[in-house]
Amino acid sequence: PTINILGGKLTGNGNLIGLVVNSGTISLGPAPETLIIYGDYTQTETGVLQYAQPPLLGFDQFAVRGNASLAGTLDMAIIHPKFADVFRIVTYDSYSGSFSTVTHPPLSDLKLQQEYGSTFLTLLTADSSNTPTNSFTVANGPEGFELHFTGVPGQNYLLQASSNHAASTEIYTTNTISG
């Protein structure tokens, strides 16, 4: 079946089964909520995904068990963000497109940077000046996968890994990057 959100707002926890086409608003929050779509998700140019991240309560979870075709607006209600905060916005099996617009409250000296991975979209807070930002990619290597990280000189970094996104394990700590 196809679920068409032509206007109005869909809110709350739960599962949707089938193709979901969002031309209205899907809203997660203000309490941490989980919405899982078992099928493909298409957000049109008029569609809005609202994401609330209240302090100390965790993160909303929006998961697509299929292809996520992204467009339209991502509306973030970020409260008290800090430099290098990472927000996992959408998980998906595959994706195409990207959000045309990301709206959020004023972030002082920060900006939000979209990072589209092969199975998830994250937003991270970065310095809004022209300081170089971090870059992280995963690629197939001859013996499994390879991690490629580019950081800002003078910063320390901690790399952690997790198989369930709830608990992470420190796998490598870098020394200060010099260039």
Side-chain angles (χ1 to χ4, degrees):
T2 299
I3 301 166
N4 287 303
I5 303 168
L6 300 174
K9 185 183 284 190
L10 173 68
T11 63
N13 292 310
N15 301 322
L16 298 173
I17 299 172
L19 169 65
V20 175
V21 178
N22 179 19
S23 297
T25 300
I26 292 179
S27 180
L28 298 170
E33 296 179 347
T34 301
L35 179 62
I36 301 173
I37 296 173
Y38 290 94
D40 292 340
Y41 172 73
T42 298
Q43 181 163 310
T44 68
E45 279 299 323
T46 61
V48 176
L49 176 60
Q50 286 182 332
Y51 186 94
Q53 187 267 316
L56 306 175
L57 294 178
F59 302 100
D60 298 330
Q61 178 67 43
F62 182 63
V64 178
R65 302 294 185 250
N67 183 65
S69 178
L70 304 174
T73 300
L74 174 62
D75 182 21
M76 296 288 298
I78 300 174
I79 301 169
H80 307 298
K82 299 180 299 302
F83 175 75
D85 278 349
V86 178
F87 303 95
R88 177 77 41 98
I89 305 303
V90 182
T91 59
Y92 39 70
D93 293 343
S94 61
Y95 83 99
S96 60
S98 62
F99 291 106
S100 309
T101 305
V102 178
T103 60
H104 51 77
L107 298 178
S108 185
D109 294 333
L110 301 173
K111 67 179 178 181
L112 287 178
Q113 181 174 314
Q114 299 179 49
E115 298 284 337
Y116 289 87
S118 60
T119 59
F120 56 85
L121 163 64
T122 58
L123 291 183
L124 42 100
T125 55
D127 186 343
S128 62
S129 69
N130 290 327
T131 304
T133 58
N134 300 332
S135 143
F136 182 81
T137 58
V138 178
N140 289 327
E143 297 181 33
F145 68 92
E146 296 177 356
L147 303 175
H148 301 270
F149 179 79
T150 304
V152 176
Q155 294 285 331
N156 290 319
Y157 297 92
L158 173 66
L159 180 60
Q160 297 180 322
S162 170
S163 61
N164 64 11
H165 304 296
S168 60
T169 302
E170 183 176 325
I171 59 175
Y172 185 71
T173 303
T174 68
N175 293 320
T176 301
I177 293 176
S178 61

